[in-house]
Amino acid sequence: MRIVIAGGHGQIALRLERLLAARGDEVAGIVRKAEQADDLREAGAEPVVLDLESASVDEVAERLRGADAAVFAAGAGPGSGVARKDTVDKAAAVLFADAAVKAGVRRFVIVSSMGADPRHQGDEIFDVYLRAKGEADAYVRGLDALDWTILRPGQLTDDAGTGLVRLEARTGRGPIPRDDVAAVLAELVDTPATAGLTLELISGSTPVPVAVRSVAGN
């Protein structure tokens, strides 16, 4: 498969790129800065320098053409202000989804956040973030041209992955290593029967491939 990842230099994305490249997939990661390219090459991915906050739908679609799947793993990051929650966490996700439609890429996986809700109330930065992620998720759900899956991890940690997770429509809150999020994403990309599902993810007792197969087709 050829898979294009938005936010290719993110902590989860770099892990995902390594996994996909190791299993023989062709991976491209979209990054904002040219100096991030070497890290992607080291992970086995082709770097594509493009700023999703200023690019057009046509420009992004050109990078997506010929791909079998697209993964939105970009994020403004914890140090960013309110404005970038809208321009990255919402607008860039919408742009990437529209570009996937234009490029004819049906398989689309978006990394969201537990608690994401377009109706979330509050004006603190985290409130704005959850609202922006929720609005992006709602937009993607409305695109019939995409076979989308929305993944909402719990509290992200840098602990070593265990390969054991709980993946359900509702899991309740809990931690999850970024290693295991990447492993689940790799399985989801390869499991189109999870299309149309919004899934929460925390650490658990089920091996990743089994967890993904158990929700497929539900």
Side-chain angles (χ1 to χ4, degrees):
M1 294 177 73
R2 176 171 171 81
I3 300 146
V4 179
I5 301 169
H9 195 257
Q11 295 186 69
I12 290 171
L14 285 168
R15 288 167 166 84
L16 176 59
E17 286 154 7
R18 289 188 194 97
L19 290 175
L20 295 174
R23 77 181 190 190
D25 289 324
E26 182 184 338
V27 192
I30 296 176
V31 295
R32 282 193 309 130
K33 301 173 183 176
E35 55 265 33
Q36 297 171 329
D38 284 346
D39 290 338
L40 268 74
R41 292 190 189 98
E42 191 179 324
E46 167 202 344
V48 177
V49 181
L50 186 68
D51 187 349
L52 294 178
E53 289 179 89
S54 58
S56 69
V57 170
D58 286 339
E59 287 173 322
V60 182
E62 188 58 36
R63 278 34 174 225
L64 280 165
R65 226 170 288 285
D68 299 293
V71 178
F72 185 83
S80 59
V82 166
R84 295 197 70 228
K85 304 305 181 194
D86 186 63
T87 59
V88 179
D89 293 298
K90 177 187 174 184
V94 167
L95 173 75
F96 197 59
D98 284 342
V101 172
K102 192 171 184 97
V105 181
R106 288 204 63 93
R107 187 72 181 119
F108 191 91
V109 179
I110 183 168
V111 183
S112 183
S113 175
M114 200 172 286
D117 184 346
R119 296 173 301 280
H120 183 86
Q121 299 297 306
D123 299 315
E124 297 297 322
I125 285 183
F126 195 65
D127 297 321
V128 176
Y129 168 75
L130 290 177
R131 196 158 52 243
K133 295 296 279 186
E135 288 167 350
D137 292 354
Y139 185 84
V140 168
R141 284 195 192 102
L143 295 175
D144 293 337
L146 294 182
D147 294 329
W148 53 264
T149 303
I150 296 168
L151 182 66
R152 293 179 167 176
Q155 179 192 350
L156 298 171
T157 76
D158 287 325
D159 296 339
T162 66
L164 299 172
V165 300
R166 183 177 173 195
L167 180 70
E168 298 170 14
R170 291 281 183 273
T171 61
R173 296 193 176 274
I176 179 76
R178 289 178 172 87
D179 287 349
D180 289 334
V181 177
V184 169
L185 288 170
E187 288 286 334
L188 288 175
V189 162
D190 214 21
T191 312
T194 58
L197 299 180
T198 299
L199 299 166
E200 293 184 350
L201 173 68
I202 59 174
S203 291
S205 57
T206 305
V208 167
V210 177
V212 172
R213 282 199 303 272
S214 71
V215 296
N218 291 348

